[in-house]
Amino acid sequence: MAPDLNKKLEDEVEKYRQTQNEMKKFMTQQQQLFITKTENEFVKQEFENLDSDAVIYKLVGPVLVKQELSEGNETVEKRLVYCEGELKRLASLMKDTEKKLEIHREVIAKIQQQIPTNK
């Protein structure tokens, strides 16, 4: 019976590791989105300090292209809305993944309790 339990334990530990890797991936994505959001909030603040007839440029590949301030504001707003939506989505995924991790921990603990120890 112990080899069966050992196999179950190994399988469950592998599932736990995979779920941990998912969580790490989500956390990395969340950090990137926070950085992007912060950068865009800074740009938005800078745009607010500009005159309405100010000239701004957008980097397109290796070239700076002239852009209207209103168009730049609109682009930054869209990015902020996107970042907020993605952060909410990731928060939900991370919450679900944390629940999965807790279930895996419980299953692992139960299997470990069933394995007889050699004394």
Side-chain angles (χ1 to χ4, degrees), residues 40 43-44 47-48 56 58 67-83:
N40 280 281
V43 171
K44 182 179 176 182
F47 280 174
E48 289 170 0
I56 62 169
K58 177 180 181 178
Q67 187 177 38
E68 294 294 322
L69 182 59
S70 60
E71 188 180 335
N73 270 324
E74 188 176 308
T75 301
V76 169
E77 278 299 322
K78 285 180 182 178
R79 285 186 195 147
L80 287 170
V81 168
Y82 170 79
C83 286

Side-chain angles (χ1 to χ4, degrees), residues 17-79:
R17 285 188 184 128
Q18 289 173 351
T19 306
Q20 274 184 319
N21 288 336
E22 282 180 37
M23 182 64 97
K24 287 178 188 176
K25 182 180 78 170
F26 294 149
M27 291 173 78
T28 301
Q29 290 174 349
Q30 185 184 45
Q31 288 172 340
Q32 280 302 118
L33 281 168
F34 276 130
I35 291 168
T36 301
K37 182 181 172 208
T38 303
E39 288 172 350
N40 280 281
E41 286 171 342
F42 177 75
V43 171
K44 182 179 176 182
Q45 287 175 348
E46 290 298 313
F47 280 174
E48 289 170 0
N49 294 332
L50 294 176
D51 294 332
S52 60
D53 61 344
V55 177
I56 62 169
Y57 295 90
K58 177 180 181 178
L59 186 62
V60 179
V63 179
L64 287 174
V65 178
K66 194 173 183 178
Q67 187 177 38
E68 294 294 322
L69 182 59
S70 60
E71 188 180 335
N73 270 324
E74 188 176 308
T75 301
V76 169
E77 278 299 322
K78 285 180 182 178
R79 285 186 195 147

